[in-house]
Amino acid sequence: MNTIKIILGDITKADVDAIVNAANSVMLGGGGVDGAIHRAAGPKLLEACKKVKAINGERCPAGEARITEAGNLKAKYVIHTVGPRYGIDTPSETLLASAYRSSLDLAISHACKSIAFPAISCGVYGYPPEEAAGIAVSICQRPEYESLAIIFYLFSEKMTAVWMKAVYGSPVLAKSPVPI
Ligand code: AR6
């Protein structure tokens, strides 16, 4: 059985080998969790992002992932992935699954033992949380990711309950912070 934990809290505090960022395709920072990760990591992260090869200004298309150093974060790496803008980047389900898979594959290929995910695409990109959680959890439960400790950092009680239901099948309400 794969190790999947859920925490209600700020992903920038995660003590893991790799923190996943819900970035945009330009990969030079933004709002939401992207902004929080860049603020906590400091300017080294932006410098590392600038070194990632860009094609027509785009460093990471939707559904793909890129890895950089993590600046001042506790983590060794930041894995930047771009989820779909719901209903705009299509098929959204395939692209969201691919964002999770690409991130997990990069973690494995860089010998990571632990990885923290936010709810990719569930903020300004508008993905319905229940659908997103189902996709996220089904990818993370695949046997090829058994060696990774996977932690989801959710930012509200509502989102935490949605993820708990996807992992455990019951809508247990979480209190902050809740390592399960
Ligand atoms: N820790 C954990 N989760 C967080 C944090 C945090 N510190 N801050 C926000 N969240 P979003 P997206 C949650 O909008 O939908 C950016 O501008 C948030 O409540 O950050 O993939 C990028 O540059 C929500 O549940 O990412 C892109 O342009 C989840 O993280 C765009 O937003 C994702 O919300 C990507 O949009």
Side-chain angles (χ1 to χ4, degrees):
M1 260 269 280
N2 296 9
T3 308
I4 301 179
K5 290 186 184 179
I6 296 171
I7 290 181
L8 169 56
D10 179 1
I11 198 169
T12 65
K13 307 280 192 284
D15 191 1
V16 289
D17 291 333
I19 288 179
V20 178
N21 182 16
N24 57 61
S25 61
V26 178
M27 242 186 79
L28 294 180
V33 72
D34 193 3
I37 287 173
H38 273 271
R39 276 192 302 280
K44 275 190 193 161
L45 181 60
L46 184 60
E47 287 313 308
C49 287
K50 284 180 181 165
K51 288 184 192 144
V52 174
K53 189 180 171 197
I55 299 171
N56 296 328
E58 196 178 60
R59 289 178 178 74
C60 185
E64 296 189 15
R66 303 287 183 264
I67 192 163
T68 66
E69 62 159 278
N72 298 332
L73 296 173
K74 270 191 212 159
K76 284 193 201 118
Y77 302 108
V78 173
I79 294 174
H80 310 260
T81 193
V82 180
R85 293 165 296 170
Y86 188 70
I88 297 171
D89 303 313
T90 55
S92 296
E93 187 178 336
T94 309
L95 289 169
L96 187 63
S98 174
Y100 278 100
R101 234 185 356 257
S102 306
S103 302
L104 291 161
D105 290 343
L106 270 178
I108 297 270
S109 67
H110 285 73
C112 295
K113 296 279 172 238
S114 53
I115 183 169
F117 279 103
I120 299 165
S121 283
C122 290
V124 300
Y125 281 3
Y127 216 110
E130 284 81 5
E131 285 177 39
I135 294 165
V137 170
S138 72
I139 297 296
C140 290
Q141 282 171 337
R142 290 170 74 120
E144 58 265 41
Y145 306 125
E146 205 178 7
S147 67
L148 279 171
I150 300 170
I151 310 176
F152 285 100
Y153 276 78
L154 288 321
F155 220 42
S156 67
E157 291 209 351
K158 198 173 162 202
M159 199 66 92
T160 306
V162 169
W163 247 259
M164 299 271 271
K165 193 170 178 197
V167 175
Y168 305 107
S170 66
V172 187
L173 252 192
K175 293 199 169 36
S176 173
V178 177
I180 304 294

